[in-house]
């Protein structure tokens, strides 16, 4: 496992969902920094302490955004993770350049790869969570804002198929600004592609648990992220279709506190539970055992 | 109702006025001559249009809306309303109808015609109720074995607080699932603009047709320009429209759209009935192609069609390896 502090700090492309005061980003400070500043309460914390708390602020409970490695480390049973299709990548169907002076899309992807050590914005594979075998996808917000282009859509659709074929429950951690603008309409249709695979999964009676993490917005929210049989959200996660800034422009008003946050979505009936990161693995284990009719853990 | 003219259509205004005057005066020779001149000017205008101007045509106030198209295409239209949860969204029109005597379910975004109607219908920008109504009709059609025809004509789902509070994302994903799983033929057409997820909600189909100036994009050119440059200049928006390759002909090249239907000279709004009739002929062809296919095979082919999109772009960089 490699450290990716640098990657974490450089998150947010191409359309990081705008966040109200106290942006939910990862601890500031370089790899060697002893202290990190919580973006929510602005309080300094001893880095080791925050890491010991699974990257949750000890003062205010703010959940920092995780790298894929951190997520896997705190979620899956040690030694059970096997990645699938790590080399699958997309192209540049629109020959995209951002403005006359902007970088070409392939350069942006290359930079994201260098930053994260992954080749695309989702990592897929098989693993066990509390001894239950699952098909697992983890979206990576640090890779171009976790946006879904052709490769992300393909990996997710294949993962859904894998879950169906092997009858493993599907677990996806979502973190995304939506469809990837740079691949245009081909990105948009990935929403339909993944949902079509999920329809088959549902018909095969294989369960799907979606864990919505900060942020889950746009086309990813309006496709796979809202189709879980069980919807779990991390505290404080921004979850919604339109970005807060777009909504504010539409209604010409400031949004109320807590708007599009996990706790609000719980009240609105859009998620089943908001689970503290420290309890997430246990909760997932309990859910997955029930859904796969596995015996209860004796432990 | 008086015609509306976009800035690049101005050369047509005076010709149209003279043509109408000649028609009232009963001067048939003059009408014929002017019709020829109008067609040639309209052709010249169309030939020089950029992507952004084509999107302006897709949003043209005189362009046929879904209800008008269903009136031309179908008989015995019965509108079905309400989502059975919260309300009825006039930005979506749904119902049962007949085409060539055969019953089918029809669903489309409805932008509205006159200014009052447009406001009432929220310019075709649907709230969750609209998508849930559509989903209800998709499910009904599936159970009853009725083919589904959808028309896409929206800048996007309504980005308001109430949409979020009532689960706009869930309602869109529900439409995607309903269409993906429908055991009946589904034909969708890009009638006008197709903006983002709210448009895709009606565009999952066995065949996706597009009028020549129809489009489907991951984000509106305005939204794209805002992301690239917060100042959002007209030049930036026009550039975004080019970059997004969202027009019908680009979508045909990308494989997203199966058939592009040519519009009358100058655009569908110059002769709405002819534009819709031309679309109708392709709709018939598509349904005829699909009519003999079993429900299970239809689903497989629909899934396969989605899987094909963007596949040629995919590559594998390296052999699998452990990440963690």
């Amino acid at each position: 496992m490699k450290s990716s502090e640098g990657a974490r700090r450089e998150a947010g492309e191409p359309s990081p969902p705008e966040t109200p005061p106290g942006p939910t980003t990862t601890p500031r400070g370089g790899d060697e920094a002893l202290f990190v500043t919580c973006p929510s309460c602005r309080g300094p914390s001893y880095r080791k302490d925050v890491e010991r708390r699974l990257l949750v602020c000890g003062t205010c409970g703010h959940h920092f955004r995780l790298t894929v490695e951190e997520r896997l480390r705190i979620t899956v049973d040690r030694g059970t993770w096997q990645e699938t299709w790590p080399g699958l990548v997309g192209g540049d169907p629109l020959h995209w350049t951002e403005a006359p002076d902007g970088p070409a899309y392939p350069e942006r992807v290359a930079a994201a790869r260098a930053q994260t050590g992954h080749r695309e914005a989702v990592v897929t594979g098989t693993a066990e969570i509390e001894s239950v075998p699952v098909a697992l996808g983890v979206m990576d917000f640090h890779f171009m804002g976790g946006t879904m282009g052709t490769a992300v859509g393909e990996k997710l659709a294949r993962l859904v198929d894998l879950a169906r074929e092997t009858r493993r429950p599907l677990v996806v951690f979502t973190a995304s600004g939506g469809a990837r603008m740079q691949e245009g309409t081909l990105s948009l249709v990935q929403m339909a592609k993944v949902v079509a695979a999920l329809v088959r999964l549902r018909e095969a009676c294989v369960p799907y648990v979606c864990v919505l993490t900060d942020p889950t917005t746009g086309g990813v929210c309006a496709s796979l992220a809202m189709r879980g049989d069980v919807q779990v959200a991390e505290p404080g996660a921004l979850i919604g279709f339109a970005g807060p800034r777009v909504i504010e422009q539409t209604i010409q008003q400031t949004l109320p506190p807590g708007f599009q946050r996990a706790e609000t979505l719980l009240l609105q009936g859009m998620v089943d539970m908001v689970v503290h990161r420290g309890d997430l693995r246990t909760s997932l284990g309990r859910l997955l055992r029930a859904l796969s009719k596995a015996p209860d853990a004796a432990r | 109702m008086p015609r509306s003219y976009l800035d690049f259509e101005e050369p047509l205004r005076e010709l149209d006025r003279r043509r109408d005057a000649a028609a009232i005066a009963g001067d048939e020779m003059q009408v014929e001559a002017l019709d020829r001149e109008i067609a040639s000017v309209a052709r010249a205008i169309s030939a020089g249009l950029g992507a952004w101007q084509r999107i302006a045509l897709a949003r043209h106030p005189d362009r046929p809306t879904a209800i008008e198209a269903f009136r031309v295409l179908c008989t015995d239209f019965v509108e079905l309303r309400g989502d059975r949860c919260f309300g009825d969204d006039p930005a979506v029109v749904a119902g049962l109808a007949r085409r060539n005597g055969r019953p089918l379910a029809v669903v489309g975004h409805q932008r509205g015609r006159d200014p009052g109607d447009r406001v009432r219908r929220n310019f075709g920008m649907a709230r969750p109720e609209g998508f849930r109504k559509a989903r209800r009709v998709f499910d009904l059609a599936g159970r009853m074995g009725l083919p589904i025809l959808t028309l896409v004509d929206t800048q996007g789902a309504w980005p308001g607080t109430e949409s979020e509070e009532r689960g706009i994302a869930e309602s869109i994903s529900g439409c995607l699932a309903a269409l993906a799983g429908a055991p009946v033929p589904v034909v969708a057409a890009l009638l006008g603009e197709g903006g983002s997820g709210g448009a895709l909600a009606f565009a999952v189909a066995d065949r996706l047709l597009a009028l020549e100036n129809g489009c489907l994009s991951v984000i509106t050119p305005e939204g794209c320009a805002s992301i690239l440059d917060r100042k959002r200049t007209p030049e930036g928006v026009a550039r975004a429209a080019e970059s997004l390759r969202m027009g019908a002909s680009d979508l045909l090249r990308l494989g997203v759209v199966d058939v592009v239907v040519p519009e009358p000279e100058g655009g569908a709004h110059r002769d709405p009935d002819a534009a819709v009739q031309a679309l109708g002929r392709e709709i018939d062809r598509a349904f005829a192609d699909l009519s003999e296919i079993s429900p299970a095979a239809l689903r497989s082919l629909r899934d396969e069609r989605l899987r094909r999109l963007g596949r040629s772009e995919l590559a594998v960089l390296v052999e699998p390896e452990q990440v963690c």
Side-chain angles (χ1 to χ4, degrees):
Chain A
M1 175 119 35
K2 66 181 154 316
S3 168
S4 345
E5 292 293 330
R8 271 207 254 117
R9 274 181 287 114
E10 302 294 325
E13 292 292 342
S15 50
E18 299 73 20
T19 44
T24 27
T25 46
T26 33
R28 260 181 270 155
D31 271 344
E32 284 78 40
L34 275 177
F35 290 90
V36 294
T37 307
C38 171
S40 182
C41 70
R42 310 262 164 217
S45 301
Y46 190 44
R47 167 179 294 280
K48 282 271 165 30
D49 271 352
V50 173
E51 284 176 357
R52 210 164 21 239
R53 283 194 205 90
L54 310 177
L55 288 144
V56 175
C57 173
T59 311
C60 70
H62 171 78
H63 284 49
F64 292 96
R65 288 174 182 160
L66 301 186
T67 63
V68 170
E69 284 73 20
E70 287 160 347
R71 176 64 68 189
L72 290 174
R73 190 179 64 223
I74 69 172
T75 307
V76 308
D77 299 351
R78 189 180 293 272
T80 61
W81 168 251
Q82 291 229 293
E83 191 177 359
T84 51
W85 322 292
L88 191 73
V89 295
D92 182 17
L94 309 188
H95 309 290
W96 182 273
T97 43
E98 288 178 9
D101 52 341
Y105 172 50
E107 294 167 33
R108 295 280 304 281
V109 174
R113 282 184 190 143
Q115 253 177 26
T116 61
H118 297 288
R119 292 185 179 81
E120 258 303 343
V122 68
V123 171
T124 55
T126 57
E128 290 181 15
I129 298 176
E130 300 245 307
S131 305
V132 182
V134 297
L136 177 66
V138 179
M139 300 192 79
D140 186 356
F141 189 73
H142 308 102
F143 194 109
M144 297 194 72
T147 48
M148 179 162 68
T150 49
V152 170
E154 180 69 17
K155 287 177 82 171
L156 285 168
R158 286 187 190 183
L159 181 71
V160 178
D161 289 349
L162 177 75
R164 181 168 50 84
E165 285 155 9
T166 61
R167 302 204 64 79
R168 283 167 176 251
L170 173 69
V171 179
V172 180
F173 287 81
T174 59
S176 175
R180 189 171 296 168
M181 189 173 75
Q182 293 86 344
E183 290 182 39
T185 311
L186 288 177
S187 295
L188 183 73
V189 298
Q190 301 307 311
M191 294 167 61
K193 181 165 104 178
V194 178
V195 169
L198 287 171
V199 171
R200 300 271 187 192
L201 185 77
R202 176 173 289 229
E203 289 167 350
C205 301
V206 176
Y208 167 31
V209 177
C210 186
V211 186
L212 300 110
T213 75
D214 186 62
T216 297
T217 61
V220 167
C221 191
S223 57
L224 67 143
M226 283 292 155
R227 301 241 54 83
D229 295 303
V230 178
Q231 299 273 111
V232 181
E234 280 205 328
L238 180 80
I239 302 162
F241 182 54
R245 191 165 59 94
V246 175
I247 299 171
E248 286 190 332
Q249 281 169 359
T250 309
I251 62 169
Q252 302 286 315
Q253 280 173 33
T254 313
L255 294 169
F259 185 73
Q260 293 184 317
R261 296 288 167 184
E263 295 74 9
T264 308
L265 268 83
L266 182 66
L267 296 176
Q268 290 164 347
M270 294 299 150
V271 296
D272 291 282
M273 62 197 86
V274 177
V275 181
H276 189 282
R277 199 170 277 161
D279 302 326
L280 190 52
R281 183 185 179 133
T282 320
S283 295
L284 283 176
R286 201 173 290 150
L287 273 171
L288 292 167
R289 276 191 300 276
L291 288 167
S292 54
K293 301 199 195 84
D296 195 12
R299 286 165 288 162
Chain B
M1 196 146 59
R3 289 173 187 266
S4 312
Y5 294 88
L6 302 173
D7 53 358
F8 55 84
E9 294 183 301
E10 277 303 327
L12 292 169
R13 186 192 291 268
E14 176 60 14
L15 289 170
D16 281 341
R17 194 195 59 74
R18 279 166 50 202
R19 191 243 178 236
D20 291 345
I24 289 164
D27 186 347
E28 280 177 30
M29 280 195 23
Q30 180 71 350
V31 168
E32 261 178 48
L34 280 166
D35 275 345
R36 275 195 301 276
E37 192 177 349
I38 287 169
S40 112
V41 171
R43 203 176 306 129
I45 291 172
S46 297
L49 293 183
W52 177 232
Q53 288 165 316
R54 288 195 177 275
I55 291 156
L57 286 183
R59 295 175 182 174
H60 200 290
D62 298 344
R63 195 170 173 86
T65 67
I67 287 180
E68 291 153 357
F70 289 141
R71 268 193 209 121
V72 172
L73 293 170
C74 303
T75 58
D76 303 283
F77 176 67
V78 184
E79 187 172 3
L80 301 178
R81 294 176 59 175
D83 69 346
R84 305 294 186 270
C85 297
F86 182 84
D88 181 50
D89 186 351
V92 170
V93 58
L96 304 175
R98 282 175 188 270
R99 166 91 181 148
N100 304 326
R102 293 212 184 89
L104 77 171
V106 296
V107 174
H109 304 97
Q110 181 58 27
R111 283 187 301 149
R113 171 51 62 203
D114 58 73
D117 190 34
R118 278 188 204 123
V119 170
R120 190 172 73 82
R121 296 184 183 280
N122 201 27
F123 303 88
M125 290 184 280
R127 296 181 170 89
E129 304 79 83
F131 294 111
R132 295 200 171 111
K133 168 167 67 178
R135 174 166 201 187
R136 184 169 75 82
V137 174
F138 295 150
D139 286 344
L140 174 67
R143 266 181 292 123
M144 298 299 125
L146 301 174
I148 297 170
L149 169 65
T150 66
L151 296 178
V152 175
D153 190 18
T154 183
Q155 289 190 37
W158 175 244
T161 45
E162 73 278 29
S163 287
E164 298 291 329
E165 285 161 357
R166 299 202 288 269
I168 188 87
E170 193 280 338
S171 69
I172 290 172
S173 74
C175 281
L176 300 177
L179 285 178
V184 292
V186 183
V187 174
L190 305 177
L191 182 66
E193 181 173 18
S196 182
L200 186 71
F202 296 172
V204 182
D206 299 308
R207 295 281 189 285
L208 180 57
L209 318 177
L211 280 178
E212 188 183 344
N213 292 311
C215 58
L216 180 65
S217 73
V218 64
I219 185 170
T220 58
E222 291 94 331
C224 175
S226 298
I227 287 172
L228 296 181
D229 174 8
R230 297 242 159 150
K231 288 196 289 289
R232 191 174 154 184
T233 59
E235 299 73 41
V237 174
R239 196 165 52 229
E242 297 280 352
S243 303
L244 286 166
R245 319 241 172 203
M246 59 194 275
S249 56
D250 284 316
L251 297 176
L252 185 69
R253 253 194 306 281
L254 290 169
V256 174
V257 155
D258 301 297
V259 179
V260 175
V261 181
E263 295 184 15
E265 301 289 1
H269 60 288
R270 303 280 306 166
D271 191 347
D273 280 9
V276 174
Q277 297 286 13
L279 180 62
R281 286 188 285 279
E282 290 301 332
I283 289 169
D284 291 343
R285 194 165 301 163
F287 276 130
D289 285 351
L290 301 167
S291 64
E292 299 298 313
I293 306 173
S294 73
L298 270 176
R299 295 253 336 251
S300 299
L301 289 167
R302 195 178 306 146
D303 281 357
E304 176 52 32
R305 182 183 178 282
L306 286 170
R307 290 297 177 99
R308 254 196 329 267
L309 296 177
R311 183 183 284 161
S312 63
E313 298 293 327
L314 298 171
V316 177
L317 279 188
V318 290
E319 293 301 302
E321 58 179 276
Q322 289 277 110
V323 166
C324 168

